[in-house]
Amino acid sequence: MKKIAIYPGSFDPITNGHIDLIKRASKLFDTVIIGITQNSKKSAFLTIDNRLKGATDALIGIDNIKVMGFDTLLVDFATAQNAQIILRGLRAVSDFEYEFQLSGMNKHLNPDIETLFMTPAEQYANISSSLVREILSLGGDISSFVPTNIEILLKETFA
Ligand code: ADP
């Protein structure tokens, strides 16, 4: 059976931290699906189309991945894609509480789907999409946090 993992998130925008995780995961699973959603609690800075295109372009060269948008329950999206695994990133203890709650709810909704956590390389552990947006809005240099295509996309959107 092919091991298919879904890596869900807002990816607003995708950062070098997300990409580090995706590269690691692509070596562990047959397919990694980057599932991009509009988080109902957060209003997105980039449109869903720009987040999809931005992630697709940023991940060129990694063959066993797919970038998809979804608008349903995560466990239902996973089932529809024949995925057995939900992948989430943990950067610091502060991520733990929310991620623990989320994985518990998803396990309750579908006990057959397993949540796995991965940590990024140390140099990416402090990167978050929201900090990247904040630094950009204050005129700071974001080039070490996101790939070039995302930097361009963010600057165009902000202008
Ligand atoms: P969400 O809004 O669902 O939290 P994000 O796009 O912010 O979506 O993040 C998706 C996943 O990636 C989450 O599990 C988050 O903890 C993880 N993540 C975010 N930034 C990093 C990073 N720099 N390194 C590793 N994982 C990260």
Side-chain angles (χ1 to χ4, degrees):
M1 189 174 61
K2 285 204 183 279
K3 290 278 174 238
I4 302 173
I6 304 251
Y7 182 32
S10 334
F11 300 99
D12 187 26
I14 194 165
T15 68
N16 290 340
H18 294 127
I19 294 169
D20 179 69
L21 226 78
I22 293 164
K23 283 184 181 161
R24 290 163 190 277
S26 72
K27 294 178 192 149
L28 300 174
F29 306 106
D30 294 302
T31 305
V32 177
I33 299 173
I34 292 86
I36 306 187
T37 185
Q38 191 105 30
N39 188 325
S40 52
K41 279 191 288 183
K42 298 181 191 170
S43 56
F45 174 66
L46 294 174
T47 63
I48 182 71
D49 286 348
N50 277 342
R51 283 180 283 146
L52 285 166
K53 185 173 181 337
T56 304
D57 291 348
L59 296 168
I60 283 171
I62 313 175
D63 294 333
N64 57 332
I65 59 134
K66 270 192 223 170
V67 178
M68 301 175 74
F70 75 101
D71 202 9
T72 58
L73 264 183
L74 175 57
V75 289
D76 292 345
F77 178 59
T79 305
Q81 298 302 319
N82 295 316
Q84 310 89 349
I85 298 140
I86 293 170
L87 202 58
R88 292 286 289 178
L90 283 180
R91 287 161 292 185
V93 181
S94 52
D95 279 339
F96 180 80
E97 196 169 338
Y98 174 67
E99 294 295 340
F100 185 72
Q101 191 183 11
L102 195 67
S103 69
M105 289 300 279
N106 283 327
K107 188 162 283 179
H108 181 82
L109 292 168
N110 188 336
D112 295 332
I113 297 176
E114 214 56 64
T115 299
L116 296 183
F117 296 102
M118 291 179 71
T119 53
E122 212 177 323
Q123 68 265 35
Y124 303 117
N126 294 313
I127 304 177
S128 72
S129 301
S130 57
L131 267 181
V132 168
R133 293 195 306 270
E134 196 173 331
I135 293 166
L136 172 86
S137 72
L138 297 169
D141 179 8
I142 56 168
S143 61
S144 51
F145 307 132
V146 293
T148 312
N149 75 302
I150 297 294
E151 189 182 351
I152 294 167
L153 181 63
L154 288 173
K155 284 182 175 164
E156 279 171 4
T157 308
F158 189 68

